[in-house]
Amino acid sequence: MKKIHTFLAAMAAAAIVLASPAYADEGADTSRFVPGTRVNGIGIGNMTVDEAAAQIEGFYAGEYQLSIKGRDGASDTIKGTDIDYKVAVPAGLAAILEAQNASGRNAGPSADNAHSLTMTASYNEEKLSAVIQGLPCLSGSGIITTSDARISDYREGEAYTIIPAVQGNDLDLEKTKALITEAVKTGSTSVDLDSAGCYRQVQVWETSEEIKKLCDTMNGYRTMSVRYLFGDQSEVLDGGTICSWITGSTDGKAVFDQEKAAAYIQGLAAVYDTAGTTRTFHTALGADVALTGPYGWKIDVAGESQALLALLAEGPSEKVKEREPLYALEAASRTGSDWGTTYVEVDLTGQHVYAFKDGALVWDAPCVTGNISKNYTTPPGIYSLTYKEKDRILRGAKKADGTYEYESHVDYWMPFNGGIGLHDAAWRNKFGGTIYQTSGSHGCVNLPPAQVPALYEFVYKGIPVICHGA
């Protein structure tokens, strides 16, 4: 595809003024230019306007070429014929002829018959791009790639070193293309790649204090370590792993791979997260049961990944950095059971509730849980108290007429699993046994009103509530 451009062609070499005077070209054909007429350095004397236009266009089509000067005597040439180079001469030729006729057709060495015209040039952009790409200065075998000084890659057991810079002779492709294209557009016949700043230059030398400092810093990371604490267990992030995360530097500081840091923290979470996993609970009656549930430890992977990167960004340390990860969920203990020794236990099979403080039983009472016959079974699992509140009305689902399936006032409300909670049930006169199988609650744990105040005073937001059985 061709694209049209304009250029002002260069004037010819200065005319040589001879001693002989100008003369009038009397009796000559006024449809032809006077002898010695030149336009943009191209001779068109004794030619008609059409012949002159053809002469000029033919010159550029067949003779135009761009000389490209490189370093160390290197040079290349782009010929107009290689890129379908053409010009279209404007109507200005006719005006020049008219002016010559009007002024008496002065000719001869001392007459100024040199003119310049702005002409329209066209060339094949695709062919020009291909020619540029194929220039030896861009794709030849003798090209040496310029590279900045850099820190060596990480190798286990080896110190970082500075790899010296290389000042090559490779060109910036975009700058070179822009320079050559502009030269073709304007009809220039030569360009100098070096003076135009097209060669790539070393930006960082091995003598740079900044890169020396960075090398020292990176070697400091080799001996650094971060110890993550999980109760009586720990995991060590060693210097080798830290170094393997370094991807480069910015402003003299090491840059770390965020995905690798996140993957490391995710690996810790896979080992040390307990929320949602199956754990063994030792019941008040001495049995061991397997339970899962939302209560437990859960590392904030995104938050801790950023915290770790921020710690590393502070620079290496000779001391072991110890830290506990940021948690999205926390439990009572990292040693032994998540729930520790202070919790509430709901025995769904035995229909009894127990409260333990520091491992000792401090409260218990019979209960009535979810009605099994109506599929209101209280779900077993490891939970925690959401909050506690006095003087609360509990409501069932809202019906079409705006009323509720049920409305029950309770003096003490202690939810732990969404809308399921511990509360007093003044409407009941019996608790425990098998009541729950056919006349149980909508899922809550009903308790004797006289015994609930003591439990309410004992519990707090976040205390583990462990339900087991069926």
Side-chain angles (χ1 to χ4, degrees), residues 442-458:
H442 289 83
C444 286
V445 180
N446 295 179
L447 295 167
Q451 293 176 264
V452 175
L455 177 65
Y456 187 87
E457 291 302 316
F458 171 73

Side-chain angles (χ1 to χ4, degrees), residues 103 205 321:
S103 62
W205 292 94
K321 297 270 190 178

Side-chain angles (χ1 to χ4, degrees), residues 45 131 178 246 289 449:
V131 168
I246 298 176
V289 294

Side-chain angles (χ1 to χ4, degrees), residues 16-277:
I16 301 174
V17 180
L18 302 178
S20 57
Y23 60 88
D25 188 20
E26 297 178 355
D29 186 350
T30 57
S31 67
R32 296 179 179 276
F33 291 99
V34 300
T37 303
R38 303 182 74 82
V39 171
N40 296 352
I42 303 169
I44 58 171
N46 297 318
M47 297 182 184
T48 65
V49 170
D50 289 342
E51 290 171 343
Q55 168 76 356
I56 294 170
E57 291 174 0
F59 171 81
Y60 281 106
E63 302 297 329
Y64 175 76
Q65 62 181 24
L66 176 65
S67 175
I68 302 169
K69 181 182 179 182
R71 280 181 180 170
D72 302 323
S75 64
D76 295 307
T77 301
I78 294 179
K79 294 181 179 180
T81 52
D82 294 335
I83 57 175
D84 299 341
Y85 196 84
K86 296 179 181 179
V87 297
V89 181
L93 282 176
I96 293 173
L97 178 59
E98 290 175 4
Q100 287 183 344
N101 289 332
S103 62
R105 296 184 60 82
N106 293 319
S110 63
D112 185 6
N113 281 314
H115 305 272
S116 63
L117 288 177
T118 299
M119 300 183 186
T120 301
S122 68
Y123 60 91
N124 187 303
E125 287 187 334
E126 293 180 358
K127 287 187 176 181
L128 176 60
S129 179
V131 168
I132 292 173
Q133 293 277 5
L135 290 172
C137 59
L138 281 168
S139 59
S141 59
I143 295 174
I144 300 172
T145 302
T146 298
S147 60
D148 290 340
R150 63 182 180 85
I151 309 297
S152 61
D153 295 332
Y154 170 73
R155 291 185 177 83
E156 187 174 355
E158 296 183 16
Y160 287 106
T161 59
I162 298 174
I163 298 175
V166 174
Q167 179 56 65
N169 59 356
D170 53 330
L171 290 159
D172 183 310
L173 176 60
E174 294 307 314
K175 286 185 178 180
T176 304
K177 286 178 67 174
L179 178 69
I180 293 174
T181 301
E182 185 62 22
V184 170
K185 288 180 182 178
T186 60
S188 299
T189 57
S190 66
V191 292
D192 188 322
L193 299 176
D194 205 357
S195 62
C198 294
Y199 285 93
R200 295 187 183 277
Q201 301 294 322
V202 170
Q203 302 299 313
V204 180
W205 292 94
E206 56 273 19
T207 54
S208 162
E209 291 301 320
E210 183 175 328
I211 199 169
K212 290 178 181 179
K213 181 179 178 181
L214 177 61
C215 188
D216 291 340
T217 297
M218 293 174 69
N219 277 317
Y221 283 115
R222 294 178 61 248
T223 58
M224 180 180 177
S225 63
V226 180
R227 184 185 300 277
Y228 275 98
L229 305 177
F230 303 93
D232 56 3
Q233 295 180 290
S234 65
E235 293 284 344
V236 176
L237 172 61
D238 60 41
T241 302
I242 293 172
C243 287
S244 69
W245 295 353
I246 298 176
T247 60
S249 64
T250 300
D251 298 328
K253 294 183 178 181
V255 175
F256 296 89
D257 189 315
Q258 296 189 24
E259 292 185 359
K260 289 184 178 180
Y264 177 80
I265 299 301
Q266 186 64 62
L268 295 181
V271 175
Y272 292 100
D273 279 1
T274 58
T277 65

